[in-house]
């Protein structure tokens, strides 16, 4: 046992290498599944090796059941979740990691202070791990709630919001500084009480941070919180003196931050924009143009069915609304019906459709839509001119012509699908409510456009029913 | 952690930032979500930290904290890897998917 214990740090080094290789593998389409498994194998090795440590081995009665419970919850959760609910599931797992990092920080603090003097440098790492982990925990919980529909997904704003959020942040930092100063011997504070207070303030701050962000932006937020948890884990590594934790946590923190920036960039927004919702301010400017006398034309499912039935080429443009309503199977049925009539049906996939890159591909694959019918934006954009009907299902900003023409629009410059060039446009949408960008879409005022209002799943099945009736 | 260890940790921290940025510098948009999910699983390594400090605090509070920490960490690891694997299987299910995306 004694000799084997010397091996543990070497196993940790090996595990750290598998994490780097795994992450590298995950960034390429062919290597991704292997990369994920390599990292998982490294993780398993590290966990097994940890049992060689005497304090872990002697506490197996506590640790093994905890691992068993966590493994069952994690496994069942991951297996049962429908593909559409993927982002919130990642949020839950991420929150769990953040919570664990916060708990490790608390335990390390109590242990170190129990033994007497604590190094102020270590306390810096401890409070950072605690704060970041707790923010990630509660922020992820809110993100989950919003995506799952447990909390209103809309941006939640109230007057004095910045004051409250700022106050929570300031209180948290103040408490953290008091703990550091106390460790340095500068002040005397009731440390355990302050520690608990910092934890509570951090939890509240995480809630306050995510509540004002709309549901459509959640994937970016989850990606950011993911990076936070990575950082919290790195800080926990500092406080307990474990290099593997520092490497793994920092890797995720750095790559997660980069990924978050890439994701916001694909939406033509800066991260600050996502977090602090500067789009609210831009609404007024772009919204004014809607009042120039053009009106929205609402159509029924029957009208839509007739239009589709007489078309020769149809392009379906799926978006977030399709994912939310889980309409992918209905869409597949609709496409099958149209194809039986000899109508050509294709799908146009915008890179950020669904606000989760690759989201549409996964969903449509789940409904067995053949891959050769899914087209990237660059491949299909020139074909909209020749399409008789462009059927937009729950997509909004990625079809907004303002991105091409209106320099004052906040989404100006974002590449969009040329839906407006189709002969006819049918838009299935729940309401006239703007999309995530919070701006109106000129496409809906186009005389060629008919709006079919309703939940994507219901609307699609109504159209399917009408088509069947006609056939 | 003493001063020398902190400095060593800081070196590792800084180098790992560069590695983290380097390994995912070129990633196609379709893989953003699985990558996020995979990275999410990797920070589940906190479970090892939770195991190491599980009995660091004595008394019932210590037991509760230690137990919860290991449970949460394990949820992160197991759930993270399994969900990522499932996501990647979806992509792999129809290998033709990669081809139309490649040609411009």
């Amino acid at each position: 046992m004694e000799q084997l214990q010397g091996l543990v740090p070497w196993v940790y080094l090996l595990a750290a290498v598998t994490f780097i290789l795994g992450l590298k593998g995950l960034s390429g389409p062919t290597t991704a599944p292997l990369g994920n498994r390599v990292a998982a194998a490294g993780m398993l090795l590290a966990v097994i090796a940890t049992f060689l440590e005497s304090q872990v081995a002697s506490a197996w009665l506590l640790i093994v059941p905890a691992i068993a419970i966590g493994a069952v919850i994690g496994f069942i959760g991951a297996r049962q979740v429908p593909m559409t609910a993927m982002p919130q599931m990642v949020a839950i797992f991420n929150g769990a990691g953040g919570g664990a990092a916060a708990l490790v920080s608390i335990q390390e603090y109590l242990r170190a202070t129990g033994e007497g003097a604590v190094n102020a440098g270590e306390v810096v790492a401890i409070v950072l791990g605690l704060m970041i982990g707790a923010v990630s925990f509660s922020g992820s919980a809110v993100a989950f709630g919003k995506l799952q529909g447990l909390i209103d997904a809309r941006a939640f704003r109230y007057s004095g919001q910045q004051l409250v959020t700022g106050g929570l942040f300031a209180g948290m930092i103040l408490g953290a500084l008091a703990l550091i100063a106390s460790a340095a011997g500068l002040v005397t504070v009731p440390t355990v009480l302050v520690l608990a207070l910092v934890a509570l303030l951090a939890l509240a701050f995480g809630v306050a941070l995510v509540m004002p962000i709309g549901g459509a932006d959640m994937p970016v937020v989850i990606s950011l919180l993911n990076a936070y948890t990575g950082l919290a884990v790195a800080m926990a590594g500092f406080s307990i003196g474990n290099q593997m934790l520092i490497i793994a946590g920092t890797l995720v923190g750095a790559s997660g931050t980069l990924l978050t920036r890439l994701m916001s960039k694909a939406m033509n927004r800066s991260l600050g924009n996502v977090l602090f919702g500067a789009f609210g301010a831009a609404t007024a400017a772009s919204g004014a143009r809607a009042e120039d006398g053009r009106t929205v034309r609402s159509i029924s499912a029957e009208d839509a069915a007739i239009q589709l039935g007489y078309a020769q080429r149809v392009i379906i443009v799926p978006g977030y609304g399709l994912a939310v309503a889980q309409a992918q199977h209905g869409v597949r049925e609709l496409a099958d019906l149209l194809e039986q009539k000899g109508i050509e049906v294709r799908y146009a996939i915008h890179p950020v459709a669904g606000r989760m890159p690759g989201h549409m591909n996964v969903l449509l694959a789940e409904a067995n839509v053949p891959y050769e019918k899914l087209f990237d934006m660059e491949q299909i954009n020139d074909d909209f001119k020749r399409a008789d009907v462009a059927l937009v299902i729950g997509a909004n900003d990625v079809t907004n012509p303002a991105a091409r023409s209106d320099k004052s629009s906040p989404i100006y410059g974002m590449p969009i699908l040329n839906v407006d060039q189709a002969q006819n446009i049918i838009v299935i949408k729940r309401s006239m409510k703007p999309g995530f960008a919070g701006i109106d879409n000129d496409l809906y005022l186009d005389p060629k456009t008919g709006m079919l209002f309703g939940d994507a799943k219901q609307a699609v099945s109504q159209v399917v029913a009408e088509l069947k009736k006609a056939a | 952690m003493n001063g020398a260890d902190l400095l060593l940790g800081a070196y590792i921290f800084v180098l790992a930032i560069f590695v983290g940025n380097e390994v995912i510098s070129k990633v196609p948009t379709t893989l953003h979500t699985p990558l996020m999910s995979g990275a999410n699983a990797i920070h589940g390594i906190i479970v090892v930290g939770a195991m190491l400090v599980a009995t660091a605090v004595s008394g019932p509070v210590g037991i509760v904290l230690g137990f919860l920490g290991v449970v949460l960490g394990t949820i992160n690891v197991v759930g993270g890897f399994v969900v990522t694997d499932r996501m990647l299987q979806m992509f792999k299910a129809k290998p033709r998917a990669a081809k139309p995306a490649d040609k411009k």
Side-chain angles (χ1 to χ4, degrees):
Chain A
M1 200 71 179
E2 289 282 305
Q3 282 111 352
L4 282 176
Q5 217 170 309
L7 280 177
V8 175
W10 295 98
V11 176
Y12 286 172
L13 176 64
L14 182 69
V17 172
T18 66
F19 300 155
I20 296 174
L21 291 176
L23 210 53
K24 182 147 187 65
L26 277 166
S27 55
T30 48
T31 51
L34 183 66
N36 186 48
R37 286 179 178 182
V38 165
M43 186 76 68
L44 186 65
L45 264 180
V47 169
I48 292 171
T50 306
F51 274 105
L52 294 173
E53 296 282 1
S54 53
Q55 87 268 28
V56 175
S58 62
W60 70 271
L61 214 56
L62 175 75
I63 292 172
V64 172
I67 289 182
I69 293 174
V72 168
I73 297 175
F75 187 79
I76 293 181
R79 297 298 303 184
Q80 301 279 319
V81 59
M83 271 299 162
T84 38
M86 218 47 110
Q88 56 263 51
M89 211 61 216
V90 176
I92 282 280
F93 297 146
N94 178 56
L103 286 174
V104 169
S105 303
I106 292 174
Q107 290 175 88
E108 178 59 19
Y109 186 80
L110 295 178
R111 185 198 65 77
T113 48
E115 283 178 4
V118 210
N119 178 338
E122 185 180 342
V123 176
V124 172
I126 288 173
V127 292
L128 282 174
L130 169 60
M131 290 188 298
I132 303 169
V135 166
S136 178
F137 178 77
S138 62
S140 299
V142 173
F144 171 80
K146 285 200 168 209
L147 287 173
Q148 193 68 22
L150 300 175
I151 322 175
D152 191 344
R154 276 173 301 179
F156 175 77
R157 289 170 199 279
Y158 52 91
S159 60
Q161 185 166 37
Q162 269 128 344
L163 218 64
V164 173
T165 311
L168 288 170
F169 183 74
M172 175 178 86
I173 296 296
L174 219 64
L177 288 176
L179 288 175
I180 296 165
S182 159
L186 298 173
V187 291
T188 318
V189 291
T191 48
V192 176
L193 192 70
V194 175
L195 187 76
L197 195 70
V198 170
L200 287 178
L201 285 171
L203 288 173
F205 177 66
V207 174
L209 194 69
V210 180
M211 278 309 278
I213 304 171
D217 280 345
M218 276 309 135
V220 178
V221 173
I222 293 169
S223 175
L224 184 70
L225 292 174
N226 185 37
Y228 279 5
T229 306
L231 205 57
V233 170
M235 289 304 137
F238 269 105
S239 55
I240 66 168
N242 186 311
Q243 276 86 10
M244 174 181 60
L245 256 61
I246 301 180
I247 295 177
T250 313
L251 265 183
V252 177
S255 62
T257 308
L258 181 63
L259 180 63
T260 310
R261 292 217 323 265
L262 287 176
M263 280 169 91
S264 0
K265 210 169 121 195
M267 293 155 68
N268 200 33
R269 297 175 64 183
S270 73
L271 190 53
N273 232 320
V274 173
L275 285 180
F276 305 110
F279 272 20
T283 316
S286 323
R289 302 189 307 122
E291 288 143 26
D292 56 4
R294 290 178 297 170
T295 51
V296 170
R297 185 164 60 97
S298 173
I299 61 169
S300 69
E302 197 183 352
D303 299 330
I306 291 171
Q307 238 177 19
L308 287 168
Y310 283 106
Q312 282 176 352
R313 290 187 198 88
V314 173
I315 297 179
I316 297 179
V317 180
Y320 187 66
L322 178 134
V324 172
Q326 300 237 36
Q328 66 272 31
H329 296 283
V331 170
R332 164 87 207 280
E333 200 185 349
L334 175 67
D336 284 350
L337 271 175
L338 294 175
E339 280 172 342
Q340 279 164 24
K341 289 168 174 275
I343 301 166
E344 181 198 77
V345 180
R346 290 183 294 172
Y347 298 81
I349 313 287
H350 190 277
V352 297
R355 296 285 159 249
M356 176 167 117
H359 200 177
M360 291 302 131
N361 304 62
V362 171
L363 280 187
L364 293 171
E366 194 200 0
N368 284 323
V369 172
Y371 259 113
E372 51 269 32
K373 298 214 170 108
L374 307 184
F375 290 85
D376 285 348
M377 181 169 62
E378 297 92 20
Q379 294 173 301
I380 201 161
N381 244 353
D382 292 335
D383 293 353
F384 274 103
K385 296 193 270 293
R386 290 190 293 276
D388 300 299
V389 178
L391 177 62
V392 180
I393 304 173
N396 186 351
D397 298 315
V398 297
T399 66
N400 194 338
R404 248 191 337 242
S405 52
D406 181 1
K407 281 201 173 129
S408 70
S409 173
I411 59 167
Y412 179 74
M414 178 170 93
I416 57 155
L417 292 163
N418 298 331
V419 172
D420 55 330
Q421 293 174 0
Q423 306 301 317
N424 291 288
I425 303 145
I426 299 173
V427 178
I428 296 180
K429 207 174 173 316
R430 267 178 301 186
S431 66
M432 279 304 287
K433 221 179 75 191
F436 89 96
I439 54 170
D440 289 319
N441 192 338
D442 247 10
L443 183 71
Y444 306 153
L445 299 168
D446 194 311
K448 291 188 297 189
T449 305
M451 303 291 295
L452 177 53
F453 289 112
D455 170 80
K457 193 173 180 177
Q458 280 164 11
V460 168
S461 61
Q462 280 163 9
V463 175
V464 167
E466 291 294 340
L467 270 174
K468 279 185 180 155
K469 230 191 290 174
Chain B
M1 209 180 209
N2 62 38
D5 281 345
L6 272 180
L7 185 65
L8 177 67
Y11 269 98
I12 294 174
F13 181 72
V14 171
L15 292 175
I17 290 178
F18 283 99
V19 175
N21 268 309
E22 202 57 43
V23 286
I24 69 145
S25 54
K26 285 187 292 278
V27 50
T29 38
T30 32
L31 280 175
H32 280 180
T33 306
L35 180 63
M36 171 172 87
S37 181
N40 175 42
I42 288 174
H43 66 48
I45 192 64
I46 188 65
V47 71
V48 167
M51 287 163 72
L52 290 170
V53 298
T55 50
V57 183
S58 54
V61 176
I63 291 180
V64 171
L65 291 176
F67 188 79
L68 272 182
V70 177
V71 170
L72 288 178
T74 314
I75 292 177
N76 188 177
V77 175
V78 175
F81 279 120
V82 173
V83 98
T84 311
D85 202 53
R86 252 187 86 195
M87 247 183 242
L88 292 169
Q89 294 304 321
M90 283 279 177
F91 282 94
K92 222 170 54 171
K94 312 240 170 56
R96 276 169 299 180
K99 279 181 190 151
D102 284 345
K103 62 178 186 214
K104 285 262 160 84

